[in-house]
Amino acid sequence: MSWAVEEWKEGLSPRVLQKIHELESQVDKLKKERQQRQFQLESMEAALQKQKQKVENEKNEGATLKRENQSLMELCDSLEKAKQKLTHDLQVKESQVNIQSGQLNSSKKDIERLEEEVKR
């Protein structure tokens, strides 16, 4: 079949045939170059998609970490308030214990005094 493709060249001068051969070689070279560039383009597009996906994943992870951080901050605030309440309650209880301890000592003294009176 290649002979049919070459048929149109019959009768052309050697100089024209040489030029045709050069042009055909150049076309083949350009076709190969185009294929290589197309492959490079496709590779770069794939790499770009990978990078976009990576960026998207990082954004999602960042948002997740932000939400988690906010939640932890709220938990810390809640725990701090609970600690303050417990500290206050403890101080109130200690105060009550001190009052009752004083009352106990006073009662002991009264009992001792009464026991002394009873012995007399």
XYZ file of all heavy atoms in Angstrom, residues 17-112:
783
model
N 12.208 15.911 -4.445
C 12.065 14.686 -3.658
C 12.835 14.790 -2.338
O 12.358 14.355 -1.294
C 12.546 13.466 -4.451
C 11.631 13.022 -5.592
C 12.280 11.896 -6.399
C 10.288 12.571 -5.049
N 14.033 15.380 -2.419
C 14.843 15.591 -1.215
C 14.097 16.504 -0.233
O 14.044 16.231 0.953
C 16.212 16.187 -1.587
C 17.090 16.518 -0.399
C 17.479 15.292 0.413
O 17.587 14.185 -0.113
N 17.670 15.471 1.710
N 13.531 17.584 -0.781
C 12.793 18.531 0.055
C 11.565 17.850 0.678
O 11.272 18.043 1.856
C 12.386 19.751 -0.793
C 11.774 20.868 0.010
C 12.779 21.464 0.975
C 12.196 22.651 1.706
N 13.053 23.162 2.751
N 10.857 17.040 -0.116
C 9.692 16.300 0.393
C 10.120 15.362 1.515
O 9.473 15.283 2.565
C 8.987 15.526 -0.752
C 8.303 16.505 -1.699
C 7.993 14.515 -0.188
C 7.743 15.860 -2.961
N 11.236 14.672 1.311
C 11.754 13.749 2.312
C 12.084 14.508 3.605
O 11.765 14.048 4.722
C 12.984 13.012 1.779
C 13.598 12.090 2.781
N 12.972 10.945 3.219
C 14.777 12.160 3.462
C 13.732 10.351 4.108
N 14.851 11.070 4.278
N 12.715 15.670 3.459
C 13.046 16.498 4.634
C 11.772 16.929 5.370
O 11.709 16.872 6.594
C 13.854 17.737 4.206
C 15.266 17.437 3.789
C 15.980 18.649 3.207
O 15.434 19.788 3.293
O 17.070 18.476 2.649
N 10.772 17.347 4.582
C 9.509 17.783 5.191
C 8.797 16.617 5.886
O 8.243 16.778 6.983
C 8.605 18.430 4.152
C 9.062 19.803 3.626
C 8.177 20.235 2.463
C 9.050 20.831 4.741
N 8.810 15.451 5.253
C 8.186 14.273 5.872
C 8.911 13.892 7.166
O 8.287 13.549 8.167
C 8.178 13.091 4.895
C 7.152 13.254 3.793
C 7.228 12.155 2.741
O 8.287 11.476 2.632
O 6.242 11.966 2.030
N 10.238 13.973 7.140
C 11.029 13.689 8.351
C 10.692 14.690 9.448
O 10.551 14.328 10.634
C 12.525 13.744 8.056
O 12.897 12.726 7.198
N 10.568 15.942 9.027
C 10.232 16.985 9.992
C 8.839 16.742 10.577
O 8.614 16.914 11.775
C 10.319 18.357 9.318
C 10.237 19.503 10.284
C 10.442 20.847 9.602
O 10.579 20.935 8.379
N 10.461 21.895 10.398
N 7.889 16.329 9.719
C 6.534 16.030 10.189
C 6.573 14.874 11.195
O 5.942 14.937 12.267
C 5.596 15.699 8.997
C 4.295 15.057 9.480
C 5.298 16.944 8.195
N 7.334 13.818 10.875
C 7.448 12.684 11.798
C 8.053 13.126 13.136
O 7.585 12.737 14.200
C 8.308 11.568 11.189
C 7.596 10.835 10.059
O 6.348 10.932 9.980
O 8.287 10.173 9.259
N 9.093 13.937 13.022
C 9.757 14.442 14.224
C 8.776 15.273 15.064
O 8.702 15.126 16.282
C 10.968 15.276 13.822
C 11.756 15.823 14.978
C 12.936 16.649 14.481
C 13.629 17.352 15.622
N 14.685 18.237 15.181
N 8.007 16.143 14.374
C 7.037 16.977 15.080
C 5.921 16.139 15.697
O 5.433 16.449 16.792
C 6.462 18.044 14.146
C 7.447 19.157 13.737
C 6.831 20.026 12.644
C 7.860 19.983 14.932
N 5.510 15.063 15.012
C 4.486 14.170 15.556
C 4.987 13.508 16.842
O 4.276 13.436 17.840
C 4.103 13.091 14.539
C 3.143 13.557 13.477
C 2.795 12.404 12.540
C 1.883 12.866 11.415
N 1.601 11.767 10.476
N 6.243 13.036 16.808
C 6.818 12.412 18.002
C 6.937 13.430 19.135
O 6.631 13.135 20.295
C 8.196 11.818 17.680
C 8.128 10.562 16.854
C 9.514 10.034 16.537
C 9.419 8.832 15.610
N 10.731 8.343 15.176
N 7.370 14.636 18.789
C 7.500 15.693 19.788
C 6.130 16.019 20.389
O 5.994 16.208 21.596
C 8.125 16.939 19.153
C 8.476 18.023 20.147
C 9.167 19.202 19.466
O 10.032 18.983 18.594
O 8.805 20.339 19.826
N 5.117 16.080 19.521
C 3.764 16.353 19.994
C 3.290 15.254 20.937
O 2.692 15.532 21.979
C 2.812 16.467 18.806
C 1.387 16.791 19.200
C 0.442 16.723 17.992
N -0.927 16.657 18.390
C -1.570 15.555 18.785
N -0.953 14.405 18.813
N -2.836 15.604 19.140
N 3.568 14.000 20.593
C 3.187 12.889 21.464
C 3.886 12.991 22.831
O 3.262 12.777 23.873
C 3.538 11.545 20.808
C 2.619 11.165 19.669
C 3.065 9.886 18.968
O 4.226 9.487 19.067
N 2.141 9.264 18.245
N 5.173 13.332 22.785
C 5.918 13.476 24.033
C 5.328 14.605 24.884
O 5.160 14.475 26.091
C 7.401 13.753 23.765
C 8.155 12.536 23.258
C 9.599 12.864 22.909
O 9.948 14.018 22.674
N 10.439 11.837 22.852
N 5.032 15.716 24.243
C 4.463 16.850 24.976
C 3.071 16.520 25.511
O 2.699 16.936 26.601
C 4.433 18.093 24.102
C 5.845 18.609 23.896
C 5.876 19.931 23.240
N 7.272 20.296 23.005
C 7.699 21.517 22.873
N 6.850 22.510 22.944
N 8.966 21.775 22.670
N 2.311 15.774 24.710
C 0.989 15.356 25.162
C 1.132 14.467 26.405
O 0.392 14.629 27.382
C 0.245 14.605 24.046
C -1.176 14.192 24.407
C -2.093 15.389 24.620
O -1.941 16.418 23.979
N -3.044 15.248 25.542
N 2.092 13.548 26.364
C 2.338 12.682 27.513
C 2.769 13.511 28.725
O 2.297 13.290 29.843
C 3.407 11.640 27.171
C 3.770 10.771 28.325
C 2.914 9.764 28.755
C 4.966 10.964 29.012
C 3.243 8.967 29.841
C 5.302 10.173 30.097
C 4.440 9.166 30.511
N 3.659 14.482 28.505
C 4.097 15.354 29.590
C 2.913 16.135 30.164
O 2.776 16.277 31.380
C 5.166 16.342 29.103
C 6.529 15.719 28.871
C 7.520 16.723 28.282
O 7.125 17.707 27.653
N 8.803 16.453 28.471
N 2.077 16.637 29.267
C 0.900 17.387 29.702
C -0.012 16.515 30.556
O -0.465 16.929 31.626
C 0.135 17.936 28.487
C -1.173 18.667 28.785
C -0.898 19.912 29.613
C -1.894 19.009 27.499
N -0.258 15.308 30.099
C -1.121 14.396 30.851
C -0.490 14.054 32.201
O -1.195 13.986 33.222
C -1.396 13.136 30.037
C -2.315 13.394 28.850
C -2.390 12.224 27.877
O -1.728 11.185 28.111
O -3.104 12.360 26.871
N 0.819 13.865 32.206
C 1.516 13.574 33.468
C 1.410 14.758 34.420
O 1.169 14.591 35.629
C 2.985 13.256 33.216
O 3.120 12.104 32.440
N 1.597 15.956 33.873
C 1.510 17.156 34.712
C 0.087 17.370 35.223
O -0.107 17.777 36.367
C 1.998 18.379 33.941
C 3.488 18.342 33.661
S 3.978 19.726 32.663
C 4.932 20.627 33.861
N -0.904 17.097 34.380
C -2.292 17.223 34.822
C -2.594 16.232 35.943
O -3.273 16.563 36.914
C -3.254 17.014 33.647
C -3.309 18.197 32.706
C -4.175 17.954 31.483
O -4.469 16.774 31.168
O -4.552 18.931 30.825
N -2.072 15.020 35.812
C -2.271 14.012 36.863
C -1.593 14.464 38.160
O -2.172 14.341 39.250
C -1.721 12.661 36.417
N -0.380 15.001 38.037
C 0.333 15.495 39.228
C -0.424 16.665 39.855
O -0.520 16.768 41.081
C 1.753 15.906 38.851
N -0.970 17.536 39.006
C -1.750 18.667 39.506
C -2.986 18.173 40.265
O -3.311 18.683 41.337
C -2.165 19.582 38.349
C -3.065 20.763 38.712
C -2.338 21.706 39.670
C -3.494 21.507 37.457
N -3.662 17.195 39.718
C -4.838 16.635 40.382
C -4.457 16.038 41.736
O -5.174 16.204 42.720
C -5.505 15.568 39.510
C -6.355 16.124 38.387
C -7.378 17.122 38.877
O -7.275 18.306 38.612
N -8.372 16.675 39.602
N -3.304 15.352 41.753
C -2.820 14.781 43.011
C -2.580 15.882 44.031
O -2.950 15.766 45.200
C -1.516 14.009 42.791
C -1.647 12.535 42.690
C -0.265 11.907 42.629
C -0.349 10.418 42.713
N 0.959 9.780 42.640
N -1.944 16.960 43.593
C -1.652 18.075 44.490
C -2.948 18.746 44.966
O -3.066 19.097 46.133
C -0.748 19.109 43.795
C 0.685 18.651 43.635
C 1.361 18.387 44.965
O 1.195 19.136 45.915
N 2.110 17.309 45.043
N -3.899 18.905 44.054
C -5.186 19.489 44.446
C -5.863 18.618 45.492
O -6.421 19.132 46.465
C -6.099 19.645 43.228
C -5.761 20.824 42.351
C -6.757 20.931 41.203
C -6.473 22.153 40.334
N -7.427 22.251 39.211
N -5.821 17.308 45.295
C -6.430 16.382 46.245
C -5.709 16.467 47.585
O -6.342 16.470 48.646
C -6.379 14.940 45.708
C -7.094 13.941 46.589
C -8.573 14.223 46.720
O -9.243 14.521 45.750
N -9.103 14.136 47.929
N -4.394 16.565 47.525
C -3.602 16.679 48.749
C -3.961 17.963 49.501
O -4.139 17.949 50.724
C -2.112 16.667 48.402
C -1.193 16.558 49.572
C 0.261 16.443 49.117
C 1.208 16.363 50.288
N 2.595 16.277 49.871
N -4.073 19.072 48.766
C -4.443 20.352 49.378
C -5.835 20.244 50.000
O -6.069 20.703 51.124
C -4.382 21.497 48.344
C -5.075 22.744 48.847
C -2.932 21.800 47.979
N -6.756 19.633 49.295
C -8.117 19.468 49.802
C -8.118 18.625 51.078
O -8.799 18.947 52.050
C -9.010 18.823 48.730
C -10.464 18.769 49.091
C -11.100 20.137 49.261
O -10.659 21.106 48.606
O -12.038 20.239 50.070
N -7.334 17.554 51.068
C -7.229 16.709 52.260
C -6.642 17.489 53.431
O -7.103 17.351 54.570
C -6.371 15.474 51.970
C -7.046 14.493 51.035
O -8.246 14.559 50.809
N -6.281 13.586 50.468
N -5.624 18.294 53.149
C -5.007 19.113 54.200
C -6.012 20.132 54.751
O -6.071 20.363 55.957
C -3.766 19.840 53.670
C -2.606 18.935 53.304
C -1.966 18.252 54.495
O -1.972 18.844 55.596
O -1.486 17.120 54.339
N -6.803 20.733 53.853
C -7.827 21.682 54.304
C -8.833 20.987 55.212
O -9.210 21.514 56.260
C -8.567 22.286 53.107
C -7.822 23.398 52.407
C -8.673 23.956 51.269
C -7.943 25.016 50.496
N -8.750 25.515 49.365
N -9.265 19.808 54.793
C -10.233 19.055 55.590
C -9.645 18.679 56.944
O -10.323 18.788 57.976
C -10.691 17.791 54.844
C -11.563 18.111 53.653
O -12.133 19.187 53.559
N -11.648 17.186 52.719
N -8.386 18.250 56.931
C -7.730 17.889 58.191
C -7.588 19.126 59.088
O -7.808 19.052 60.295
C -6.356 17.273 57.927
C -5.684 16.751 59.165
C -4.342 16.100 58.905
O -4.056 15.749 57.747
O -3.574 15.948 59.874
N -7.250 20.261 58.470
C -7.140 21.507 59.230
C -8.469 21.886 59.861
O -8.526 22.293 61.030
N -9.538 21.760 59.096
C -10.872 22.083 59.621
C -11.247 21.128 60.756
O -11.800 21.552 61.780
C -11.908 22.013 58.501
N -10.914 19.869 60.585
C -11.194 18.878 61.630
C -10.417 19.212 62.900
O -10.968 19.170 64.010
C -10.826 17.462 61.144
O -11.618 17.145 59.996
C -11.068 16.420 62.219
N -9.152 19.559 62.734
C -8.325 19.912 63.887
C -8.835 21.179 64.566
O -8.804 21.296 65.799
C -6.865 20.072 63.474
C -6.141 18.772 63.101
C -4.756 19.076 62.551
C -6.061 17.832 64.282
N -9.311 22.131 63.756
C -9.874 23.358 64.319
C -11.100 23.042 65.179
O -11.248 23.557 66.292
C -10.282 24.301 63.183
C -9.623 25.638 63.200
C -10.130 26.491 62.047
C -9.246 27.709 61.922
N -9.606 28.532 60.793
N -11.986 22.204 64.651
C -13.185 21.816 65.395
C -12.798 21.071 66.678
O -13.359 21.326 67.752
C -14.101 20.942 64.544
C -14.873 21.710 63.478
C -15.954 20.847 62.846
N -15.463 19.638 62.229
C -15.033 19.540 60.977
N -15.036 20.597 60.183
N -14.603 18.395 60.505
N -11.840 20.175 66.550
C -11.394 19.415 67.722
C -10.778 20.354 68.764
O -11.030 20.222 69.962
C -10.369 18.357 67.295
C -9.953 17.434 68.412
C -8.978 16.363 67.947
O -8.960 16.041 66.745
O -8.237 15.863 68.807
N -9.989 21.310 68.303
C -9.375 22.287 69.200
C -10.449 23.105 69.918
O -10.369 23.332 71.131
C -8.425 23.198 68.425
C -7.629 24.099 69.327
O -7.157 23.675 70.366
N -7.477 25.354 68.930
N -11.451 23.549 69.178
C -12.549 24.316 69.764
C -13.266 23.487 70.823
O -13.575 23.970 71.908
C -13.526 24.764 68.670
C -14.679 25.606 69.175
C -14.225 26.932 69.748
O -13.242 27.506 69.309
N -14.931 27.410 70.751
N -13.510 22.238 70.488
C -14.184 21.344 71.425
C -13.346 21.157 72.694
O -13.875 21.187 73.812
C -14.416 19.986 70.747
O -14.927 19.064 71.655
N -12.047 20.999 72.524
C -11.162 20.828 73.682
C -11.102 22.099 74.527
O -11.053 22.026 75.761
C -9.760 20.417 73.227
C -9.644 18.990 72.677
C -8.260 18.767 72.079
C -9.946 17.963 73.749
N -11.115 23.260 73.855
C -11.114 24.517 74.601
C -12.386 24.653 75.426
O -12.344 25.066 76.592
C -10.946 25.704 73.642
C -9.543 25.831 73.075
S -9.372 27.144 71.860
C -9.607 28.575 72.882
N -13.515 24.293 74.828
C -14.780 24.339 75.556
C -14.769 23.372 76.738
O -15.244 23.697 77.832
C -15.944 24.031 74.609
C -16.203 25.126 73.598
C -17.178 24.731 72.497
O -17.717 23.600 72.547
O -17.401 25.551 71.589
N -14.196 22.192 76.523
C -14.084 21.211 77.593
C -13.193 21.753 78.715
O -13.525 21.613 79.904
C -13.526 19.898 77.054
C -13.317 18.770 78.070
C -14.633 18.391 78.733
C -12.675 17.575 77.406
N -12.080 22.385 78.352
C -11.182 22.984 79.358
C -11.907 24.055 80.165
O -11.764 24.108 81.391
C -9.939 23.571 78.690
S -8.728 22.340 78.206
N -12.663 24.898 79.463
C -13.432 25.932 80.166
C -14.421 25.302 81.148
O -14.551 25.745 82.293
C -14.188 26.825 79.174
C -13.265 27.745 78.391
O -12.100 27.924 78.816
O -13.713 28.285 77.360
N -15.092 24.277 80.681
C -16.072 23.589 81.522
C -15.387 22.969 82.743
O -15.887 23.077 83.871
C -16.767 22.506 80.693
O -17.578 21.711 81.492
N -14.241 22.338 82.514
C -13.511 21.734 83.624
C -12.995 22.788 84.599
O -12.993 22.568 85.816
C -12.347 20.881 83.090
C -12.747 19.583 82.371
C -11.529 18.928 81.739
C -13.443 18.627 83.327
N -12.565 23.923 84.078
C -12.087 25.014 84.934
C -13.221 25.532 85.817
O -13.034 25.767 87.015
C -11.511 26.150 84.080
C -10.935 27.298 84.879
C -9.767 26.917 85.763
O -9.004 26.001 85.407
O -9.628 27.547 86.835
N -14.403 25.687 85.245
C -15.560 26.129 86.030
C -15.906 25.098 87.106
O -16.210 25.459 88.253
C -16.764 26.375 85.122
C -16.630 27.631 84.284
C -17.805 27.812 83.349
C -17.584 29.044 82.455
N -18.623 29.181 81.443
N -15.861 23.818 86.736
C -16.155 22.759 87.700
C -15.111 22.770 88.822
O -15.455 22.603 90.007
C -16.176 21.401 87.011
N -13.857 22.986 88.461
C -12.786 23.049 89.464
C -13.028 24.214 90.428
O -12.878 24.066 91.652
C -11.433 23.212 88.775
C -10.269 23.350 89.732
C -8.984 23.678 88.987
C -7.900 24.077 89.965
N -6.806 24.759 89.333
N -13.386 25.373 89.868
C -13.651 26.536 90.715
C -14.815 26.266 91.663
O -14.761 26.624 92.845
C -13.928 27.772 89.853
C -12.698 28.303 89.150
C -13.013 29.420 88.166
O -14.176 29.764 87.949
N -11.973 29.992 87.561
N -15.854 25.622 91.158
C -17.012 25.299 92.000
C -16.607 24.335 93.102
O -16.964 24.525 94.280
C -18.135 24.701 91.159
C -19.400 24.400 91.959
C -20.451 23.760 91.078
C -21.739 23.492 91.804
N -21.647 22.700 93.006
N -15.826 23.306 92.754
C -15.385 22.330 93.752
C -14.472 22.980 94.791
O -14.565 22.671 95.986
C -14.677 21.155 93.074
C -15.575 20.218 92.271
C -14.731 19.206 91.495
C -16.558 19.504 93.178
N -13.618 23.889 94.336
C -12.733 24.604 95.265
C -13.565 25.430 96.241
O -13.307 25.423 97.450
C -11.750 25.511 94.489
O -10.971 24.699 93.608
C -10.837 26.264 95.413
N -14.562 26.112 95.725
C -15.448 26.907 96.582
C -16.191 26.006 97.570
O -16.262 26.301 98.771
C -16.438 27.698 95.717
C -17.449 28.446 96.514
N -17.144 29.554 97.270
C -18.785 28.220 96.717
C -18.222 29.983 97.892
N -19.239 29.193 97.566
N -16.733 24.887 97.053
C -17.451 23.952 97.929
C -16.527 23.415 99.018
O -16.935 23.284 100.182
C -18.030 22.781 97.117
C -19.180 23.201 96.215
O -19.672 24.346 96.367
O -19.578 22.388 95.351
N -15.282 23.119 98.653
C -14.310 22.615 99.621
C -14.034 23.659 100.706
O -13.985 23.328 101.899
C -13.008 22.226 98.916
C -11.881 21.706 99.814
C -12.304 20.436 100.542
C -10.624 21.477 98.999
N -13.889 24.906 100.294
C -13.649 25.969 101.269
C -14.836 26.109 102.230
O -14.653 26.292 103.440
C -13.380 27.297 100.547
C -12.036 27.343 99.865
C -11.868 28.593 98.989
O -12.834 29.289 98.700
N -10.623 28.851 98.571
N -16.049 26.007 101.685
C -17.247 26.082 102.526
C -17.251 24.920 103.518
O -17.497 25.113 104.721
C -18.528 26.084 101.653
C -19.773 25.861 102.499
C -18.621 27.375 100.856
N -16.950 23.720 103.047
C -16.938 22.530 103.916
C -15.857 22.665 104.988
O -16.093 22.324 106.157
C -16.696 21.255 103.101
C -17.715 20.980 102.031
C -18.882 20.233 102.569
C -19.805 19.885 101.413
N -21.161 19.685 101.807
N -14.664 23.148 104.596
C -13.590 23.333 105.573
C -14.018 24.340 106.639
O -13.748 24.151 107.837
C -12.301 23.797 104.890
C -11.583 22.699 104.136
C -10.356 23.201 103.371
O -10.244 24.425 103.128
O -9.526 22.362 103.025
N -14.684 25.390 106.210
C -15.178 26.394 107.153
C -16.176 25.761 108.112
O -16.129 25.991 109.331
C -15.813 27.542 106.374
O -16.369 28.487 107.242
N -17.069 24.944 107.582
C -18.060 24.261 108.422
C -17.374 23.310 109.402
O -17.756 23.227 110.581
C -19.068 23.490 107.558
C -20.014 24.386 106.785
C -20.902 23.602 105.812
O -20.632 22.439 105.518
N -21.949 24.271 105.316
N -16.353 22.592 108.921
C -15.614 21.663 109.781
C -14.935 22.441 110.900
O -14.945 22.033 112.074
C -14.586 20.837 108.964
C -13.590 20.148 109.883
C -15.300 19.825 108.094
N -14.331 23.591 110.582
C -13.670 24.410 111.603
C -14.672 24.898 112.654
O -14.386 24.886 113.850
C -12.941 25.593 110.961
C -11.690 25.157 110.217
O -11.110 24.115 110.521
N -11.274 25.956 109.248
N -15.840 25.315 112.182
C -16.886 25.777 113.111
C -17.316 24.628 114.020
O -17.390 24.770 115.251
C -18.088 26.362 112.345
C -17.690 27.679 111.682
C -19.296 26.530 113.259
C -18.721 28.210 110.703
N -17.554 23.469 113.395
C -17.994 22.316 114.186
C -16.892 21.839 115.134
O -17.165 21.395 116.253
C -18.450 21.179 113.263
C -19.758 21.497 112.573
C -20.210 20.418 111.597
O -19.450 19.505 111.287
N -21.451 20.539 111.129
N -15.643 21.939 114.676
C -14.523 21.565 115.532
C -14.465 22.486 116.750
O -14.246 22.034 117.889
C -13.218 21.633 114.736
O -12.126 21.299 115.538
N -14.681 23.778 116.518
C -14.723 24.735 117.628
C -15.852 24.429 118.575
O -15.698 24.488 119.812
N -17.006 24.099 118.013
C -18.152 23.755 118.845
C -17.866 22.490 119.653
O -18.249 22.379 120.822
C -19.401 23.559 117.987
C -19.955 24.838 117.401
C -21.113 24.588 116.426
O -21.337 23.470 115.977
N -21.834 25.652 116.106
N -17.201 21.521 119.024
C -16.859 20.278 119.695
C -15.927 20.553 120.871
O -16.135 20.037 121.978
C -16.212 19.292 118.715
C -15.746 17.957 119.303
C -16.936 17.174 119.860
C -15.016 17.139 118.258
N -14.908 21.388 120.633
C -13.975 21.726 121.710
C -14.701 22.447 122.852
O -14.450 22.173 124.039
C -12.823 22.590 121.186
C -11.839 21.793 120.358
O -11.728 20.580 120.522
N -11.117 22.474 119.470
N -15.588 23.341 122.468
C -16.365 24.075 123.471
C -17.233 23.112 124.283
O -17.328 23.206 125.511
C -17.218 25.132 122.790
O -18.038 25.789 123.705
N -17.859 22.155 123.583
C -18.714 21.165 124.254
C -17.885 20.280 125.179
O -18.331 19.929 126.285
C -19.431 20.288 123.235
O -20.347 21.072 122.489
N -16.682 19.904 124.728
C -15.805 19.085 125.572
C -15.466 19.826 126.867
O -15.473 19.231 127.949
C -14.517 18.715 124.822
C -14.658 17.605 123.844
C -13.294 17.286 123.199
C -13.414 16.199 122.178
N -12.115 15.907 121.550
N -15.150 21.096 126.721
C -14.821 21.904 127.899
C -16.027 21.992 128.839
O -15.883 21.888 130.067
C -14.352 23.296 127.501
C -12.972 23.300 126.917
C -12.527 24.695 126.540
C -11.142 24.632 125.875
N -10.698 25.934 125.424
N -17.209 22.180 128.227
C -18.421 22.233 129.057
C -18.620 20.906 129.780
O -18.971 20.873 130.966
C -19.650 22.541 128.206
C -19.705 23.991 127.733
O -18.952 24.823 128.312
O -20.485 24.293 126.803
N -18.405 19.806 129.076
C -18.568 18.476 129.679
C -17.561 18.293 130.814
O -17.902 17.808 131.901
C -18.426 17.357 128.618
C -19.629 17.377 127.682
C -18.250 15.994 129.261
C -19.541 16.449 126.490
N -16.313 18.679 130.564
C -15.283 18.550 131.598
C -15.656 19.395 132.825
O -15.515 18.959 133.977
C -13.913 18.977 131.056
C -13.288 17.987 130.104
C -11.990 18.508 129.478
O -11.526 19.623 129.825
O -11.445 17.797 128.614
